[in-house]
């Protein structure tokens, strides 16, 4: 018998429209004393008064500043998306499938202290505190597009260091062909792990070694000039901008170098819909929707999706 698992990408179009964000934030509106009257006002064309992104989402007010020079090599033709959107509209199923609720539900998550484990095909397996690792790495800021498989996208100034630097530091053996990354498993603190036991927690992802050491692959520890907020994957997350967003695993606790291709969470949950490589490709539709265009979450406008999310010059040689 096939058990129907509720899927993350069930309603890609609706989830990305401002109207839907709006609805998913009913509690926000009610909390502001607006309630249904708000929808009446919106219908009268006064919707801007109720803009769900008009206030800062939880979790970004008191983050320690993080200074890093912007690397001008990585340019995006669209403006940077406001942090209110990037930190208020999230996919992070450990907390919620409701993008507008993640920030609030993740606010009290303890993302420090945080231990990182490195194991598998390495000369010396080890564990260390995330800040000890960060201190040894060269931080820079990069503005990257982020394109979710659900067909919405944002532009974010991340702060981090090349995954290639981490790989070098970890000293993998020549037998290492893949890098597997795993997120936390803390159902006591992450309500989505409690209420959605059908998902194969913890979240996990993987890259081929040539992908992991590509210059674009970034381990991210900050955004918008400060430490990464919990909702965006504190204290340490991956960003691989030429792939659909689900490859960019958040809140990593373990790096494992492997000989065999590791499994990845969404491929295990829905193999007919999500593959291992997940490179952004406008010509290959998802089984349930087109990937030809995407919705800019900031403006609601549809934009053409670019091969490899606009990063073909950096990565297309990996897939020939
Ligand atoms: N651990 C973990 N990492 C995750 C996810 C998740 O649910 N859990 N969602 C992924 C998806 S589908 C996307 S689009 C991006 C969203 O990142 P953002 O919320 O910082 O924009 O995170 C990815 N990383
Ligand atoms: Mo996504």
């Amino acid at each position: 018998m096939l058990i129907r698992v509720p899927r993350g990408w069930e309603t890609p179009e609706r989830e990305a429209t401002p109207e839907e964000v709006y609805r998913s934030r009913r509690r926000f509106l009610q909390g502001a004393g607006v309630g249904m009257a708000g929808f009446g006002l919106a219908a009268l064309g006064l919707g801007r008064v109720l803009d769900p992104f008009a206030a800062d989402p939880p979790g970004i007010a008191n983050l320690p500043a993080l200074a890093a020079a912007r690397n001008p090599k990585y340019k995006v033709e669209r403006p940077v998306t406001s942090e209110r959107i990037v930190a208020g509209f999230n996919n992070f199923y450990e907390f919620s499938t409701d993008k507008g609720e993640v920030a609030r539900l993740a606010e009290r998550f303890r993302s420090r202290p945080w231990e990182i484990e490195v194991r598998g095909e390495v000369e010396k397996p080890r564990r260390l505190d995330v800040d000890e690792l960060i201190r040894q790495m060269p931080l820079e800021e990069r503005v990257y597009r982020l394109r979710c498989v659900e067909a919405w996208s944002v532009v974010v100034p991340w702060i981090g260091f090349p995954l290639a630097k981490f790989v070098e530091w970890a000293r993998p053996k020549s037998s290492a062909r893949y890098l597997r990354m795993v997120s936390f498993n803390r159902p006591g603190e992450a309500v989505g792990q409690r209420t959605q036991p059908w998902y194969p927690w913890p979240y996990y992802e993987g890259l081929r070694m040539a992908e992991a050491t590509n210059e674009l692959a970034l381990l991210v520890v900050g955004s918008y000039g400060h430490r990464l907020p919990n909702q965006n994957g504190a204290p340490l997350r991956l960003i691989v901008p030429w792939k659909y967003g689900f490859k960019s695993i958040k809140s990593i606790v373990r790096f494992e170098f492997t000989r065999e291709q590791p499994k990845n969470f969404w491929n295990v949950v829905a193999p007919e819909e999500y593959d291992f490589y997940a490179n952004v490709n406008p010509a290959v539709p998802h089984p349930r929707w087109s990937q030809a265009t995407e919705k800019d979450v900031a403006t609601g406008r549809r934009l053409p999706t670019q091969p490899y999310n606009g990063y073909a010059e950096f990565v297309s040689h990996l897939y020939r």
Side-chain angles (χ1 to χ4, degrees):
M1 186 185 104
L2 264 175
I3 295 170
R4 170 128 174 89
V5 175
R7 292 196 179 130
W9 327 117
E10 211 71 32
T11 54
E13 291 298 320
R14 287 190 294 122
E15 300 256 304
T17 66
E19 290 76 16
E20 189 62 21
V21 171
Y22 210 91
R23 243 163 281 181
S24 78
R25 288 210 164 178
R26 233 169 328 219
R27 247 160 302 185
F28 175 96
L29 295 174
Q30 282 161 355
V34 180
M36 287 313 290
F39 289 97
L41 289 176
L44 292 172
L46 300 173
R48 65 186 166 74
V49 179
L50 307 171
D51 178 357
F53 296 127
D56 282 347
I60 62 173
N62 298 308
L63 296 166
L66 203 56
R70 181 170 293 187
N71 188 330
K73 182 170 177 188
Y74 307 100
K75 291 200 192 340
V76 178
E77 72 295 336
R78 281 159 60 192
V80 166
T81 306
S82 83
E83 185 171 27
R84 283 191 177 156
I85 294 174
V86 171
F89 180 83
N90 303 99
N91 270 336
F92 205 165
Y93 275 34
E94 286 86 337
F95 295 99
S96 177
T97 56
D98 182 337
K99 297 178 197 351
E101 286 294 311
V102 169
R104 184 178 65 79
L105 294 171
E107 195 177 6
R108 271 186 285 279
F109 180 69
R110 285 168 50 89
S111 52
R112 273 188 173 77
W114 189 272
E115 196 183 63
I116 303 283
E117 184 187 4
V118 184
R119 71 181 198 192
E121 303 293 313
V122 287
E123 282 174 26
K124 188 163 146 283
R126 49 183 155 176
R127 290 168 179 272
L128 83 168
D129 183 78
V130 71
D131 290 310
E132 197 186 314
L133 173 68
I134 294 170
R135 269 195 298 276
Q136 298 175 57
M137 294 290 137
L139 294 189
E140 60 183 272
E141 183 181 68
R142 295 189 187 183
V143 177
Y144 275 168
R145 300 177 199 84
L146 177 68
R147 202 317 190 156
C148 177
V149 73
E150 298 164 324
W152 53 265
S153 67
V154 289
V155 177
V156 186
W158 303 113
I159 296 167
F161 51 90
L163 180 57
K165 292 281 181 202
F166 170 81
V167 170
E168 197 182 302
W169 171 91
R171 284 187 285 130
K173 296 180 186 167
S174 58
S175 52
R177 294 179 56 223
Y178 296 88
L179 176 57
R180 176 172 190 261
M181 288 152 281
V182 184
S183 294
F184 64 87
N185 193 16
R186 282 154 58 177
E189 279 181 84
V191 62
Q193 291 187 322
R194 288 202 297 281
T195 58
Q196 306 170 97
W198 52 83
Y199 283 121
W201 307 115
Y203 197 97
Y204 44 96
E205 259 304 337
L207 296 171
R208 227 171 62 194
M209 204 56 78
E211 300 178 309
T213 54
N214 182 274
E215 64 174 286
L216 289 178
L218 200 65
L219 279 177
V220 164
V221 300
S223 57
Y224 298 89
H226 52 64
R227 255 191 203 168
L228 205 56
N230 287 343
Q231 59 264 41
N232 294 113
L236 180 75
R237 63 101 49 99
L238 176 70
I239 290 289
V240 276
W242 71 99
K243 293 176 178 288
Y244 291 120
F246 67 85
K247 295 293 291 183
S248 291
I249 180 173
K250 293 174 168 179
S251 305
I252 301 167
V253 299
R254 186 157 73 240
F255 294 87
E256 187 170 351
F257 293 86
T258 67
R259 293 168 185 265
E260 309 295 335
Q261 182 175 303
K263 295 205 176 302
N264 56 316
F265 185 90
W266 279 108
N267 178 255
V268 167
V269 171
E272 68 287 359
E273 302 194 3
Y274 311 105
D275 69 344
F276 176 77
Y277 283 101
N279 294 319
V280 174
N281 188 345
V284 177
H286 182 277
R288 291 182 283 122
W289 60 85
S290 166
Q291 295 291 22
T293 64
E294 63 203 55
K295 188 159 282 189
D296 177 345
V297 182
T299 63
R301 271 199 285 274
R302 295 216 73 94
L303 305 168
T305 286
Q306 303 175 57
Y308 299 105
N309 199 26
Y311 297 99
E313 60 175 306
F314 298 98
V315 296
S316 58
H317 68 273
L318 295 173
Y319 308 104
R320 265 183 208 127

